[in-house]
Amino acid sequence: MPMHPKRLLLALLALAGLPAAAQDLSWSGYGTIGYATSNRNYTFQRSISDRGTFDRDSVFGLQGDLRFNPQWSATVQLKAAQSLTSDSRWALTPAWAFIAWRPSDDWLLRAGKLRVPLYLHSEALDVGVTHDMVRQPAEMYSISPTNDFDGLYATRTWPRGEGEVSLDAYAGGISTTARFWTRDGAPPQIAPGAEFVDVDIKAEGVVLTVRQPDGVWRAGVHHIVTRQSDGSTIPVSYPYVDLGNGMGYYQVNPALPGPGIATVPSITNYLFTFGVEQQFAQDWRIAAEFARDVQRDTQVGSDTRGGYAALYRRIGRATPYVSLGVLRSSAGSLDWYRRLTANPLPAMVPGAAQVNAAQRLAAESIWALDQRSLAIGSSYAIDNSQKLKFEWMRTHVGQVSRLVDSPPGSPVPHDTNIDVWSVNYNFSF
């Protein structure tokens, strides 16, 4: 059973009240004040539009580390950021809450709320002063609905010259919220706009990391099982109902006439990740990450491949960079999206409006993506604990992107470009 983060948080706070002689307590914190605006009146990446927003990139955190002795310690980190359950609210949540035991220099065992080691920057993803980009590319860093889990985490480390090799293994789960966007909804039952679905996730995986003074290499294999928290089943596919004369529809709802929909209680994904950040010349650095998300159990889920490559050049306190990212769903996922949206029933067919709305809702539940991005920006190190960052990013949306909120009553944005301008101030203490 995964450890409940609230119970662990209370336990760690109680430990912090012990006499000072019994422990070594230290505090640290971080934050980003980030502003982003685009050239489009619809929303991109949940918050960005031509109205401008501080919600997309702003985040604040406070961390307490409690050391009992050289082997035992505890960590709590509270994070304030945009809520997972509302587009208009912020939330204060425990980002980290774990107990750690180091039986030797080579082993580290942790239990509690932890970060899944999916990416190169997973461990310090929210701490902007640790990297140079305004934000990590969505083409890689949006592949999972959560970066956290409650459970167990074991690390074995082998020194290698001036660096080290580490093997991480983890297992656990978390209850979180997935966000979907419905362009028009299906009033009065389903309102248009953001829909938040509670899901339960179980995950396990192994990650190999090689760290050297001039670079980091990381590769991982992850097994993820997802189910809806309310017990709703997930369709395997949608049967076609032929009405004759070249017309028909897909039965996407049991209330529609048809042979019935095959469903499963949960879906499984196998996620393969690879990343490298390497200095290759004086003041030059490259970074690249790639992920392959293999969907099982359903034809209408998230089956994607994506990643990015970036080039950095340090010039004094400034580090300008250029990044190219690509994220694309499998041909099968994109084909299902086209089937459900390309040929609506004509209005003369009885019930056509209801059938078309149901098909559109089903298409919007598929995590279909076809986009690529070019980002040019720079960080400027004010000192070791403060950075300013600037970036222009152009994202080209091909057939569709679930990272775009389609305007109500308007065509779904496709074959178009979205320009985003961002400025961030990052700090830590």
Side-chain angles (χ1 to χ4, degrees), residues 249-258 260-261 354-355 358:
Y249 65 90
Y250 289 92
Q251 185 189 11
V252 297
N253 190 304
L256 296 176
I261 305 171
Q354 291 79 6
V355 171

Side-chain angles (χ1 to χ4, degrees), residues 320-394:
Y321 62 86
V322 59
S323 171
L324 293 169
V326 178
L327 178 58
R328 184 176 172 83
S329 295
S330 66
S333 296
L334 291 172
D335 182 58
W336 267 112
Y337 180 84
R338 285 192 297 268
R339 291 191 216 180
L340 296 171
T341 58
N343 298 299
L345 290 176
M348 64 179 183
V349 177
Q354 291 79 6
V355 171
N356 293 338
Q359 289 197 143
R360 187 182 63 252
L361 286 172
E364 290 170 338
S365 71
I366 301 173
W367 198 247
L369 300 121
D370 177 21
Q371 68 174 62
R372 61 180 185 270
S373 293
L374 166 68
I376 300 175
S378 180
S379 70
Y380 180 83
I382 300 172
D383 54 34
N384 290 335
S385 60
Q386 298 181 88
K387 279 185 180 179
L388 286 174
K389 300 178 184 179
F390 311 89
E391 183 185 270
W392 164 77
M393 178 180 69
R394 169 164 288 182

